[in-house]
Amino acid sequence: MTPTIRNATRDELDVILDWAAREGWNPGLDDAGPFWAADPRGYHVATVDGELAAAVSVVKYDPAYAFLGFYMARPEYRGRGIGWALWQAAIASAGARTIGLDGVVAQQNNYRKSGFAYAHANVRYGGDVSFAAPDDPRLVHVAPVHLPLLSAYDRALSPAPREDFLAEWLRTGESRRSIALLRDGRVGGFGTIRACREGFKIGPLFSDTSVGADLLFRALVADVGGGRVFLDIPEPNTEARALCARYNLTPVFETARMYRGTDPQLPLGRIFGITTFELG
């Protein structure tokens, strides 16, 4: 059985997100648009007799950095080498770029065999929370006019520029809201909350200070009226762990941020919530 390996179509990305939902990864209701904007050629599939058998993404942000996610095979095609063939082809598509990923515990040894090295743990926390909207004039709902400022701020917290992705990720819609902490034209942090198959996820949650992160967290939750909320934090950020404890969020599961190539040494103390396990 020789699979056909190729780039995924936009419609197939919707199918891949449905697979992710069945795996319990709880994608956002409108993630496909921003994900596709990040790199339309970053999604790869293997087909057998015309049927989708496996998928993986290697989203290439710039000539130096890519991020791997969505590595899945349909149950009936597992154990046949199809996923491995797809994996090798997708990794090769990144060329000499550093590649990041967030690996589940069970697969971390396999990722090491492919040259990925452990950087730190990420932990998803979840819980039911509700707040009144904070009264602070620095809190601003994100609009297109803010994108240059937020992209510049994001650049210090991400391994590569991602303006095309952010333009869609920060776009206000029925299922997502973004809020920035702004004063005198300076960004102190920003975050996004989006509706998912279950509850809401906050990500990113970036802030210069723990006080700002707390303020943004409460504002984002208030904006959707509260509910079941998930936040994916880099485990070394002790203030992020304290925020979760303060609002009774408890661990749901853990991944490992791993890199094949140079570790970008991100300033984890300012990252209170990573954007997404799938795209970094």
Side-chain angles (χ1 to χ4, degrees):
M1 179 186 303
T2 302
T4 298
I5 294 173
R6 58 172 173 78
N7 291 108
T9 66
R10 171 62 182 80
D11 288 343
E12 287 169 339
L13 178 55
D14 291 326
V15 175
I16 293 168
L17 284 162
D18 286 339
W19 288 6
R22 287 198 294 269
E23 294 291 329
W25 297 352
N26 195 26
L29 298 182
D30 65 351
D31 282 355
F35 284 2
W36 190 255
D39 179 10
R41 294 184 59 79
Y43 303 89
H44 308 264
V45 293
T47 65
V48 175
D49 297 330
E51 290 194 354
L52 290 181
V56 68
S57 62
V58 180
V59 168
K60 291 162 277 294
Y61 286 108
D62 72 359
Y65 185 72
F67 198 86
L68 185 151
F70 288 121
Y71 184 41
M72 298 173 287
R74 286 172 54 185
E76 60 267 37
Y77 291 108
R78 292 172 186 170
R80 303 187 187 186
I82 296 169
W84 175 240
L86 177 62
W87 168 276
Q88 291 178 301
I91 290 285
S93 76
R97 292 173 176 86
T98 291
I99 305 174
L101 63 77
D102 283 320
V104 297
V105 173
Q107 293 296 325
Q108 288 168 23
N109 284 336
N110 288 332
Y111 296 145
R112 288 187 179 94
K113 293 174 184 176
S114 291
F116 287 86
Y118 180 91
H120 59 83
N122 291 321
V123 182
R124 174 165 295 167
Y125 283 78
D128 293 306
V129 287
S130 180
F131 304 107
D135 182 14
D136 192 310
R138 297 173 299 166
L139 293 168
V140 178
H141 284 92
V142 171
V145 69
H146 301 125
L147 285 175
L149 279 174
L150 297 182
S151 292
Y153 185 89
D154 181 84
R155 184 64 189 90
L157 299 168
S158 302
R162 49 182 189 171
E163 289 91 347
D164 292 342
F165 168 75
L166 286 175
E168 296 299 321
W169 192 257
L170 300 179
R171 188 187 301 275
T172 298
E174 290 185 5
S175 65
R176 68 174 59 231
R177 300 284 190 275
S178 296
I179 296 176
L181 193 60
L182 299 175
R183 185 170 186 176
D184 299 328
R186 181 184 176 278
V187 181
F190 73 92
T192 295
I193 189 166
R194 72 195 199 279
C196 295
R197 306 294 175 99
E198 177 194 355
F200 300 88
K201 286 182 187 173
I202 292 178
L205 181 60
F206 295 159
S207 176
D208 292 342
T209 68
S210 60
V211 172
D214 187 284
L215 186 63
L216 284 164
F217 179 82
R218 289 184 286 119
L220 290 164
V221 171
D223 222 39
V224 298
R228 186 75 173 169
V229 171
F230 300 95
L231 180 67
D232 301 335
I233 73 166
E235 193 274 340
N237 186 333
T238 58
E239 293 293 343
R241 298 204 309 268
L243 185 152
C244 292
R246 188 155 55 246
Y247 298 118
N248 297 315
L249 304 185
T250 57
V252 176
F253 69 87
E254 179 179 322
T255 68
R257 175 60 59 89
M258 307 178 79
Y259 295 103
R260 173 171 159 156
T262 304
D263 184 335
Q265 298 291 325
L266 298 176
L268 300 183
R270 296 169 61 198
I271 300 174
F272 290 79
I274 69 168
T275 307
T276 159
F277 283 155
E278 293 78 23
L279 267 69

